[in-house]
């Protein structure tokens, strides 16, 4: 056996993410609208107002008072006196006017209150009346009310409607349609596009499988055969049956359990 150390690669695959800048050359279309103006002749319709003065008949409604004669029957309450003589008792009153004197002595204010008392009298008027009845004849009147009716011719007024017509001026207007030529603008648009080359770039993450290796040292051996002989002493053996007597004891017959 002849062995020699040799280096071997031990590799596995891993996924790696790399950021790459990706660029493309593109042709962009830049478009806009091109305006074109066209003129066309149209018929424009317009209205003209024409006014003139006319007259209209207007009637006023007025009233006047007229009368008519009809038979009338009316009643009213009338009062008449009803008088008669009646005897009444009246009283004649006779009165007497007198004066009563009330006199008494009082201290005088002369000589500082010293001296003889003076007699002072007060006058009190008095009237005494008495009635003397007597009979008289008086006329007593009462008012009697009774209904008085009479038929006669009477005048009854009533309103009469009249029409007072006259002419009033008024303006009458009418519209007339006319036409006239008119130029009108008409717009049309066409799309105009131009190619514009441009390079567009961006950052892009891309994943790829890459090998990941490390070096390992291994032994590389070569084998070359060598002839070698020797004598060995060996015995031939075989198995022979042998009977052995063994003593077997059962614990159930042990005396210590009795």
């Amino acid at each position: 056996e002849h062995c020699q150390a040799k280096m071997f690669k031990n590799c596995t695959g891993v996924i790696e993410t790399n950021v790459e800048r990706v660029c493309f050359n593109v042709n962009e279309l830049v478009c806009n609208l091109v305006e074109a103006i066209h003129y066309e002749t149209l018929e424009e319709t317009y209205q003209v107002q024409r006014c003139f003065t006319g007259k209209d008949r207007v009637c006023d409604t007025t009233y006047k008072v007229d009368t008519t004669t009809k038979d009338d029957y009316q009643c009213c309450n009338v009062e008449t006196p009803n008088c008669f003589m009646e005897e009444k008792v009246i009283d004649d009153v006779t009165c007497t006017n007198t004066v009563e004197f009330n006199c008494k002595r009082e201290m005088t204010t002369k000589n500082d209150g010293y001296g003889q008392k003076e007699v002072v009298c007060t006058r009190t008027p008095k009237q005494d009346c008495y009635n003397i009845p007597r009979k008289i004849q008086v006329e007593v009147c009462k008012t009697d009310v009774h209904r008085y009716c009479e038929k006669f011719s009477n005048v009854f007024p009533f309103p009469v409607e009249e029409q007072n017509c006259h002419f009033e001026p008024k303006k009458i207007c009418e519209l007339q349609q006319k036409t006239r030529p008119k130029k009108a603008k008409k717009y049309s648009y066409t799309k105009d596009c131009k190619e514009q080359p441009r390079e567009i770039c961006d950052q892009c993450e891309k994943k790829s499988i890459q090998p990941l290796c490390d070096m390992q040292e291994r032994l590389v051996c070569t084998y070359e055969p060598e002839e070698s002989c020797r004598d060995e002493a060996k015995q031939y053996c075989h198995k022979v049956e042998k009977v052995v007597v063994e003593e077997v004891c059962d614990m159930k017959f042990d005396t210590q359990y009795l």
Side-chain angles (χ1 to χ4, degrees):
E1 180 181 5
H2 178 68
C3 296
Q4 185 178 359
K6 191 174 181 180
M7 301 301 290
F8 288 91
K9 283 185 179 181
N10 183 22
C11 299
T12 184
V14 294
I15 297 175
E16 290 185 355
T17 301
N18 297 318
V19 178
E20 295 182 1
R21 180 176 174 83
V22 180
C23 294
F24 296 95
N25 291 321
V26 296
N27 289 324
E28 294 180 341
L29 287 177
V30 178
C31 300
N32 56 6
L33 292 177
V34 178
E35 181 182 87
I37 302 175
H38 306 280
Y39 292 94
E40 60 182 14
T41 303
L42 302 176
E43 289 291 332
E44 182 185 21
T45 302
Y46 65 97
Q47 291 181 335
V48 176
Q49 188 180 46
R50 189 177 66 87
C51 298
F52 58 92
T53 302
K55 289 184 179 181
D56 199 359
R57 190 168 179 265
V58 179
C59 293
D60 302 329
T61 300
T62 60
Y63 290 89
K64 70 175 183 178
V65 178
D66 200 356
T67 58
T68 183
T69 303
K70 294 181 181 179
D71 290 337
D72 196 5
Y73 182 79
Q74 294 184 7
C75 296
C76 66
N77 294 325
V78 295
E79 297 179 356
T80 57
N82 182 11
C83 298
F84 55 91
M85 299 303 292
E86 188 179 59
E87 188 181 75
K88 284 189 176 183
V89 176
I90 63 172
D91 291 330
D92 290 335
V93 180
T94 302
C95 295
T96 303
N97 293 321
T98 59
V99 176
E100 290 184 351
F101 292 92
N102 184 14
C103 299
K104 58 182 178 179
R105 289 183 177 275
E106 291 182 355
M107 294 294 293
T108 181
T109 57
K110 298 177 180 180
N111 300 323
D112 298 329
Y114 295 99
Q116 192 176 0
K117 290 183 179 182
E118 292 183 355
V119 177
V120 178
C121 296
T122 58
R123 294 165 57 97
T124 304
K126 182 181 179 184
Q127 186 182 53
D128 294 325
C129 296
Y130 55 90
N131 294 331
I132 300 173
R134 67 185 177 92
K135 292 180 181 181
I136 60 171
Q137 294 289 326
V138 294
E139 185 181 25
V140 177
C141 293
K142 293 182 180 179
T143 302
D144 291 338
V145 179
H146 63 276
R147 194 79 170 159
Y148 175 79
C149 297
E150 188 175 347
K151 182 180 179 181
F152 54 92
S153 296
N154 204 355
V155 176
F156 290 91
F158 62 94
V160 177
E161 181 181 309
E162 289 183 345
Q163 294 291 324
N164 182 19
C165 297
H166 51 92
F167 289 95
E168 290 290 331
K170 69 174 183 180
K171 286 186 178 180
I172 301 172
C173 295
E174 58 184 16
L175 295 176
Q176 292 181 350
Q177 283 194 351
K178 293 186 177 182
T179 59
R180 61 187 173 190
K182 180 182 179 181
K183 279 190 175 183
K185 283 185 180 181
K186 190 175 182 182
Y187 297 91
S188 62
Y189 296 90
T190 56
K191 186 177 178 181
D192 183 24
C193 297
K194 294 181 181 180
E195 284 190 359
Q196 184 175 347
R198 191 164 73 94
E199 184 183 19
I200 55 173
C201 298
D202 199 359
Q203 301 289 335
C204 180
E205 289 186 356
K206 298 190 74 175
K207 294 181 180 180
S208 62
I209 296 179
Q210 299 291 335
L212 180 63
C213 301
D214 58 349
M215 302 301 291
Q216 288 186 353
E217 185 180 348
R218 307 285 289 182
L219 291 176
V220 178
C221 299
T222 58
Y223 297 93
E224 296 180 358
E226 291 183 359
E227 185 177 359
S228 177
C229 299
R230 67 177 180 272
D231 293 331
E232 290 182 356
K234 292 185 178 180
Q235 290 183 348
Y236 177 75
C237 299
H238 64 277
K239 291 182 180 181
V240 178
E241 183 178 344
K242 183 179 181 179
V243 178
V244 179
V245 178
E246 294 181 356
E247 184 181 4
V248 179
C249 298
D250 194 347
M251 297 299 292
K252 292 190 295 183
F253 300 100
D254 197 348
T255 58
Q256 64 181 357
Y257 293 104
L258 300 177

